Amino acid sequence: MPEESRKRAARRLAIARGHLESIRRSLDDPHVYCVDVLRQIKAVQGALDGAASVVLRGHLEAHVATAATRGDEQELVDELMDVLKYL
């Protein structure tokens, strides 16, 4: 994966981690509003989705775009079909 993609994904995961920790702390408050917790959970999901997109783009740029020159197009197509199950 390109170094810039690694850095961008790491930043997004750090954001998700911060949001998740905030949610966990808020649940210690008996007066926490459920809808606020749900909004924060959605923010974590968005940060994780963003990180996944960055990683996928890095994979496409680093490996898929060059598959024809290496001759492993079919293996990469199979791999991507498997990966898409998780997105």
Side-chain angles (χ1 to χ4, degrees):
M1 181 186 323
E3 185 63 26
E4 182 58 30
S5 295
R6 287 177 191 267
K7 289 178 182 177
R8 289 178 57 215
R11 279 193 300 268
R12 289 178 182 264
L13 290 173
I15 290 168
R17 183 182 197 180
H19 278 299
L20 191 56
E21 183 58 30
S22 174
I23 295 166
R24 195 198 59 72
R25 282 192 312 267
S26 74
L27 292 174
D28 291 336
D29 178 358
H31 304 293
V32 67
Y33 189 52
C34 301
V35 173
D36 292 338
V37 173
L38 291 170
R39 283 187 185 119
Q40 288 299 313
I41 290 171
K42 195 63 176 173
V44 170
Q45 290 171 333
L48 292 174
D49 288 343
S53 293
V54 168
V55 171
L56 178 59
R57 177 176 285 280
H59 181 68
L60 293 173
E61 291 171 352
H63 302 290
V64 177
T66 60
T69 59
R70 291 189 317 270
D72 62 350
E73 304 99 325
Q74 188 57 52
E75 291 85 358
L76 278 170
V77 168
D78 293 341
E79 179 184 69
L80 285 175
M81 292 305 294
D82 187 51
V83 166
L84 290 174
K85 296 178 204 175
Y86 305 109
L87 297 178

